[in-house]
């Protein structure tokens, strides 16, 4: 009995005299991208812990490519929060009085690069304690797009698709009908939790408004689509119209090409005619033949003149020989008086 009492007494003394301890357990925290993560770290001190209080938070990145990084530090009654550039301005202590036993922090505007293991270390000599918290940053589903893949005609097969732009796995899908009977066709039930619903042999009963909700552990998003199943269109008429349109386009293109080529040929012909020498124009007469014809005409004129006017004509000056090109400057040579022989009768005697 005495031994038992002694054992209980020693345990009570040990519990009373125990040093610094962190009361927050190790844990895992999941948060969405852009949110704020609260990382708790509460501690208790013992009367024996008389040294200065030092608090340090470290990050071990998830990729294991970097060594542990100090992200915030309290020492000498001062806070230092600019150690880690990636978290600069986004990590803060939650308490204004750290000596009260609360070393918890907030990490704001979470990023995927913030994923990792965070470690809280508290030291007040001779006591030392630390705890680890695993932080996972997830992306909420967002940018959901709903659409119909195929032709919405009676008797056709097509698909209803629901695609998120981003979102951390695993993702859950749920389809609902929002109009008419608000019940999905029985044939679609196997796909109601799938991103794709395969529609076979469509009918007008399928027409209506549908929604798709995408969910993961940190959030959800939704999209809607309107399905309108219509009778088949006149495909033969559509094809014929397309063919006629193509033919008309080809004819139009051919006319344009023909006109352009014709215009180019005409322009080319005009240039060639402009630079060619005309062959149907006779060459100019030579000066020799011109002069001879001119002198011949003069001699014939002189021969027809009477003796009475010959003396006056002999004084005439021949200025120039005419020419068709008139290229030379006028000349005024003085010709000697022409001597002519003539005969006449006087008193029955012929005089030469």
């Amino acid at each position: 009995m005495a031994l038992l009492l002694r054992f209980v007494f020693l345990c009570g003394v040990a519990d009373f005299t125990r040093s610094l301890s962190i009361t927050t357990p190790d844990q895992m925290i999941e948060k969405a991208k852009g949110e704020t993560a609260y990382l708790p770290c509460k501690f208790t001190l013992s009367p024996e812990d008389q040294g200065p209080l030092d608090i340090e938070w470290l990050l071990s990145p998830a990729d294991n490519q970097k060594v542990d990084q100090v992200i915030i530090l309290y020492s000498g009654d001062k806070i230092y929060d600019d150690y880690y550039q990636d978290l600069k301005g986004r990590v803060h202590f939650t308490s204004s009085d750290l000596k009260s036993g609360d070393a918890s922090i907030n990490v704001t505007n979470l990023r995927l690069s913030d994923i990792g293991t965070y470690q809280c270390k508290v030291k007040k000599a001779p006591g030392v304690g630390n705890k680890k918290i695993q932080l996972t940053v997830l992306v909420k589903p967002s940018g959901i797009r709903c659409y119909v893949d195929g032709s919405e005609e009676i008797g056709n097969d097509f698909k209803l698709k629901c695609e998120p732009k981003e979102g951390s796995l695993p993702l859950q899908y749920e389809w609902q009908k929002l109009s008419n009977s608000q019940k999905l066709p029985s044939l679609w039930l196997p796909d109601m939790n799938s991103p794709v619903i395969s529609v076979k042999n469509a009918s007008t009963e399928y027409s209506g408004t549908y929604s798709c909700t995408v969910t993961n552990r940190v959030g959800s998003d939704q999209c809607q689509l309107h399905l309108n199943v219509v009778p088949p269109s006149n495909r033969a008429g559509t094809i014929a119209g397309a063919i006629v349109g193509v033919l008309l386009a080809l004819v139009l293109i051919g006319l344009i090409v023909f006109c352009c080529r014709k215009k180019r040929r005409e322009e080319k012909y005009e240039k060639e005619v402009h630079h060619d020498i005309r062959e149907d124009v006779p060459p100019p007469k030579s000066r020799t033949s011109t002069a001879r014809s001119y002198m011949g005409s003069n001699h014939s004129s002189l021969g027809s003149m009477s003796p009475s006017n010959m003396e006056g004509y002999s004084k005439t000056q021949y200025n120039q020989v005419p020419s068709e090109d008139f290229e030379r400057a006028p000349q005024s040579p003085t010709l000697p008086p022409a001597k002519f022989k003539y005969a006449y009768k006087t008193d029955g005697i012929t005089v030469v």
Side-chain angles (χ1 to χ4, degrees):
M1 186 65 179
L3 292 175
L4 181 59
L5 292 174
R6 181 178 295 180
F7 177 79
V8 172
F9 175 78
L10 291 175
C11 289
V13 171
D15 183 71
F16 178 77
T17 59
R18 67 184 180 180
S19 61
L20 182 152
S21 66
I22 297 178
T23 59
T24 302
D26 293 344
Q27 57 186 294
M28 296 180 63
I29 298 176
E30 288 184 347
K31 285 291 182 179
K33 177 184 175 182
E35 293 184 346
T36 297
Y38 169 69
L39 308 183
C41 182
K42 295 185 178 181
F43 61 93
T44 60
L45 300 173
S46 71
E48 297 178 354
D49 300 328
Q50 299 296 323
L53 178 63
D54 292 330
I55 300 174
E56 184 181 56
W57 277 89
L58 299 95
L59 169 61
S60 300
D63 56 9
N64 296 321
Q65 299 296 319
K66 300 178 182 178
V67 298
D68 293 354
Q69 300 286 333
V70 176
I71 59 175
I72 192 169
L73 175 68
Y74 173 82
S75 180
D77 295 332
K78 291 184 178 181
I79 297 175
Y80 305 91
D81 58 1
D82 56 354
Y83 280 93
Y84 189 48
Q85 190 66 28
D86 290 352
L87 282 171
K88 186 176 181 180
R90 296 192 296 120
V91 59
H92 313 280
F93 284 109
T94 59
S95 175
S96 59
D97 184 12
L98 299 178
K99 295 179 180 179
S100 64
D102 188 0
S104 304
I105 61 172
N106 280 332
V107 180
T108 62
N109 191 22
L110 287 173
R111 305 172 184 172
L112 295 179
S113 60
D114 298 336
I115 297 174
T117 301
Y118 292 76
Q119 184 175 5
C120 174
K121 288 186 177 181
V122 181
K123 178 181 179 182
K124 189 172 175 66
V128 177
N130 68 82
K131 286 293 178 180
K132 293 182 179 180
I133 298 176
Q134 181 70 38
L135 175 63
T136 301
V137 179
L138 301 176
V139 179
K140 292 181 180 180
S142 63
I144 311 298
R145 176 174 174 249
C146 293
Y147 63 97
V148 180
D149 184 7
S151 178
E152 305 172 43
E153 296 181 353
I154 296 175
N156 279 3
D157 297 342
F158 52 83
K159 295 179 180 180
L160 308 183
K161 292 189 176 182
C162 179
E163 296 179 352
K165 184 177 181 180
E166 60 179 2
S168 297
L169 301 176
L171 296 172
Q172 297 178 352
Y173 297 84
E174 183 180 4
W175 288 89
Q176 290 182 336
K177 190 173 184 180
L178 305 179
S179 61
N180 300 335
S181 63
Q182 296 186 351
K183 290 183 180 180
L184 288 174
S186 58
L187 295 176
W188 297 8
L189 295 179
D191 296 332
M192 67 177 300
N193 297 122
S194 170
V196 179
I197 292 181
S198 297
V199 180
K200 304 292 184 181
N201 192 20
S203 67
T204 56
E205 297 177 356
Y206 296 166
S207 298
T209 302
Y210 296 84
S211 71
C212 173
T213 303
V214 184
T215 307
N216 65 4
R217 294 196 298 266
V218 291
S220 63
D221 197 10
Q222 186 182 82
C223 65
Q224 295 183 2
L225 67 82
H226 182 71
L227 178 63
N228 185 25
V229 181
V230 297
S233 58
N234 186 1
R235 296 182 179 177
T238 303
I239 295 173
I243 293 174
V244 171
V246 171
L247 292 176
L248 290 176
L250 293 176
V251 171
L252 180 60
I253 294 173
L255 288 175
I256 294 174
V257 173
F258 175 77
C259 293
C260 292
R261 295 185 64 181
K262 182 178 179 183
K263 185 176 181 181
R264 289 181 180 177
R265 287 198 301 267
E266 290 177 353
E267 292 176 352
K268 184 178 180 181
Y269 177 76
E270 289 178 359
K271 291 181 180 179
E272 291 177 353
V273 170
H274 180 72
H275 291 91
D276 286 348
I277 298 175
R278 293 184 60 182
E279 297 180 355
D280 58 343
V281 178
K285 297 180 179 180
S286 62
R287 295 183 179 180
T288 306
S289 61
T290 304
R292 287 177 179 175
S293 62
Y294 179 74
M295 292 298 294
S297 63
N298 285 343
H299 279 289
S300 62
S301 299
L302 291 173
S304 62
M305 287 183 178
S306 61
S308 60
N309 56 14
M310 189 63 69
E311 184 179 356
Y313 183 80
S314 63
K315 296 180 180 180
T316 303
Q317 296 182 354
Y318 297 89
N319 294 327
Q320 61 180 5
V321 178
S323 174
E324 285 187 0
D325 51 7
F326 300 98
E327 292 178 355
R328 294 189 178 184
Q331 298 180 358
S332 56
T334 303
L335 298 179
K339 296 180 178 181
F340 298 97
K341 293 181 179 181
Y342 58 92
Y344 61 93
K345 291 183 179 181
T346 178
D347 296 332
I349 301 173
T350 302
V351 181
V352 178

